[in-house]
């Protein structure tokens, strides 16, 4: 569904964009289109659109400029060298779809994210009654923070900036726990994102009060893109819910027994997979020495040599470009 189209006429679109547009045209109803998709993809569970009202996502930038086309927001933000002040939806009184508020009230846990902060996560929370229902729910509320910043939306954003934006738009009480990635990603992949104006989300959790933070390994590389690993995210959430049930002394609760069994099985399977990967790589990659220093992240220690090599190469390229530029100046003068 996340496949980005290669055809020049469809460039910039994902398969999901084309698929859901077609389903809406066929059934002329978002709810029915999604219900039919459930059977097509054999989805376990129930998917509800947050609203059936046609809505437009708009952004007000810090310089006062207003963008009324969601797809134009990143480029306009970049062109104006500013940041997003706030996003809002038109019409502002969008009603939630049938069953949405009931599902929130009856939920045992509510997971927000990951996704585009200003054009995905926050707009859903701005639909009438949604944020209020989440705040009033007794469910565990978990926010999965993005791994990378997003061009034209969250440039240079930290974990604290993401949470601050949600609170400023919707108020407090939406997040009990925040799960964020360890940031241990191979530097070469990060560099590719750097060329597109993106970087790892800074982990400044000490700036946020009233929310519990869990650092977990959530990332994977898929088709040379940095993604959240769905299995690792699910395991982290299940582990958190099990710990909460333990705290409530509900170890004999059917929900705890079911989730704990699933968690143990996932851990067993992951252990087997890791052992198989380790055996396949044995003799190819040298074993790294544990030379961690106080104050440095695991990422810095693990990839310090590679990061230094990349920086050295970048510095040489920069000096070469400066030298060539200087020769052009001398020739023209």
């Amino acid at each position: 569904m996340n496949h980005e189209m290669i055809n020049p006429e469809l460039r910039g679109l994902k398969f999901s964009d084309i698929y859901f547009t077609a389903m809406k045209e066929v059934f002329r109803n978002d709810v029915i289109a999604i219900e039919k998709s459930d059977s097509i993809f054999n989805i376990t569970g129930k998917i509800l659109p947050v609203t059936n009202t046609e809505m437009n996502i708009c952004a007000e930038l810090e310089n006062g400029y207003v963008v009324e086309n969601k797809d134009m927001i990143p480029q306009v933000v970049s062109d104006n060298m500013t940041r997003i002040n706030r996003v809002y939806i038109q019409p502002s009184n969008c009603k939630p779809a049938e069953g949405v508020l009931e599902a929130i009230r009856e939920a045992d846990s509510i997971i927000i994210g990951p996704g585009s902060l200003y054009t995905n996560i926050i707009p859903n929370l701005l639909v009438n009654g949604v944020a209020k229902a989440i705040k009033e729910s007794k469910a565990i509320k978990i926010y999965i923070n993005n791994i990378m910043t997003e061009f034209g939306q969250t440039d240079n954003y930290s974990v604290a900036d993401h949470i601050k934006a949600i609170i400023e738009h919707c108020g407090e009480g939406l997040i009990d726990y925040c799960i964020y990635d360890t940031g241990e990603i191979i530097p070469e992949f990060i560099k590719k994102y750097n060329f597109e104006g993106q970087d790892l989300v800074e982990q400044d959790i000490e700036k946020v009060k009233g929310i519990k933070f869990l650092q977990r390994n959530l990332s994977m590389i898929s088709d040379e893109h940095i993604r959240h690993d769905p299995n690792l995210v699910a395991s982290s959430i299940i582990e958190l819910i099990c710990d909460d049930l333990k705290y409530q002394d509900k170890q004999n609760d059917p929900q705890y027994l079911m989730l704990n069994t699933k968690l143990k099985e996932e851990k067993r399977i992951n252990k087997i997979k890791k052992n198989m990967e380790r055996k396949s790589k044995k003799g190819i990659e040298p074993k790294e020495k544990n030379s961690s220093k106080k104050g440095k992240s695991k990422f810095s220690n693990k990839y310090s040599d590679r990061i230094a090599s990349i920086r050295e190469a970048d510095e040489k390229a920069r000096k070469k470009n400066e030298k060539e530029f200087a020769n052009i100046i001398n020739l023209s003068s």
Side-chain angles (χ1 to χ4, degrees):
M1 297 298 280
N2 285 325
H3 171 72
E4 293 184 4
M5 307 306 290
I6 300 170
N7 188 311
E9 294 179 5
L10 301 173
R11 196 177 298 279
L13 291 175
K14 292 182 180 178
F15 171 63
S16 57
D17 298 327
I18 297 169
Y19 169 79
F20 281 113
T21 300
M23 291 295 281
K24 287 177 187 177
E25 288 181 3
V26 171
F27 296 104
R28 300 181 184 278
N29 183 294
D30 287 357
V31 176
I32 296 173
I34 290 174
E35 283 177 358
K36 296 293 182 183
S37 298
D38 286 356
S39 59
I40 290 170
F41 294 113
N42 195 24
I43 294 171
T44 303
K46 189 176 183 181
I47 299 174
L48 296 171
V50 70
T51 182
N52 291 324
T53 307
E54 285 288 336
M55 71 175 189
N56 192 29
I57 298 169
C58 310
E60 178 190 287
L61 310 186
E62 285 185 346
N63 62 3
Y65 195 90
V66 173
V67 188
E68 295 186 340
N69 184 333
K70 182 190 83 168
D71 296 331
M72 292 296 295
I73 291 172
Q75 194 58 53
V76 174
V77 168
S78 178
D79 291 344
N80 282 266
M81 292 185 290
T82 186
R83 298 179 89 178
I84 296 171
N85 184 41
R86 70 181 181 105
V87 289
Y88 58 94
I89 55 176
Q90 289 181 333
S92 58
N93 61 343
C94 289
K95 291 182 180 179
E98 186 180 348
V100 168
L101 299 185
E102 290 77 8
I104 292 171
R105 293 189 190 107
E106 294 170 6
D108 295 308
S109 61
I110 297 169
I111 294 93
I112 301 170
S116 298
L117 180 65
Y118 287 111
T119 54
N120 186 323
I121 292 172
I122 292 175
N124 282 297
L125 299 172
L126 295 178
V127 172
N128 271 354
V130 171
K132 184 174 182 290
I134 295 174
K135 291 176 189 178
E136 292 174 351
S137 172
K138 293 180 180 179
I140 301 172
K141 297 142 197 173
I142 305 166
Y143 174 56
I144 311 295
N145 205 89
N146 290 343
I147 298 171
M148 306 297 294
T149 62
E150 194 166 357
F151 169 76
Q153 286 204 47
T154 55
D155 301 295
N156 302 315
Y157 266 44
S158 62
V159 172
D161 290 326
H162 281 77
I163 293 172
K164 182 184 174 186
I166 294 172
I167 292 172
E168 285 178 347
H169 282 81
C170 310
E172 295 184 347
L174 287 166
I175 303 170
D176 296 324
Y177 295 90
C178 173
I179 302 178
Y180 64 101
D181 187 62
T182 57
E184 291 188 57
I185 302 168
I186 297 171
E188 283 83 349
F189 287 105
I190 296 174
K191 188 176 180 182
K192 288 179 182 179
Y193 276 76
N194 292 161
F195 284 132
E196 297 175 6
Q198 296 174 269
D199 207 343
L200 281 170
V201 172
E202 185 189 345
Q203 302 169 357
D204 59 343
I205 60 172
E206 68 283 348
K207 293 183 180 179
V208 183
K209 306 298 179 186
I211 294 172
K212 300 178 184 72
F213 289 89
L214 299 172
Q215 188 182 52
R216 296 288 185 269
N217 177 25
L218 303 176
S219 60
M220 62 181 285
I221 303 299
S222 176
D223 295 328
E224 297 197 346
H225 287 86
I226 300 167
R227 304 288 188 216
H228 280 87
D229 185 316
N231 293 320
L232 294 175
V233 172
S235 297
S236 299
I237 292 168
I238 291 170
E239 187 177 351
L240 176 55
I241 294 169
C242 284
D243 287 345
D244 187 76
L245 288 168
K246 265 187 189 177
Y247 180 75
Q248 297 177 48
D249 199 23
K250 292 185 178 179
Q251 286 92 327
N252 295 321
D253 187 288
Q255 185 187 29
Y256 172 82
L257 294 171
M258 179 187 72
L259 290 174
N260 195 43
T261 301
K262 182 175 176 60
L263 187 63
K264 285 180 179 178
E265 183 62 17
E266 285 288 336
K267 285 181 177 178
R268 187 184 72 82
I269 292 169
N270 287 333
K271 191 175 181 180
I272 292 169
K273 283 181 180 177
K274 283 181 181 178
N275 285 335
M276 289 174 69
E277 286 175 5
R278 198 177 291 119
K279 285 178 182 178
S280 65
K281 291 180 181 179
K282 197 173 181 182
I284 299 172
E285 292 183 3
K287 193 174 181 181
E288 294 179 22
K289 293 179 180 179
N290 184 14
S291 58
S292 60
K293 293 181 182 178
K294 191 175 179 181
K296 284 192 174 184
S297 67
K298 289 181 182 177
F299 173 79
S300 298
N301 290 321
K302 192 172 183 180
Y303 297 114
S304 57
D305 292 341
R306 204 174 294 181
I307 292 169
S309 176
I310 290 172
R311 284 178 179 166
E312 186 180 345
D314 287 345
E315 184 63 21
K316 284 180 180 177
R318 185 183 67 79
K319 287 179 179 178
K320 184 181 178 182
N321 288 336
E322 285 179 354
K323 189 176 180 181
E324 288 176 354
F325 182 71
N327 289 336
I328 291 167
I329 296 293
N330 289 333
L331 285 169
S332 61
S333 60

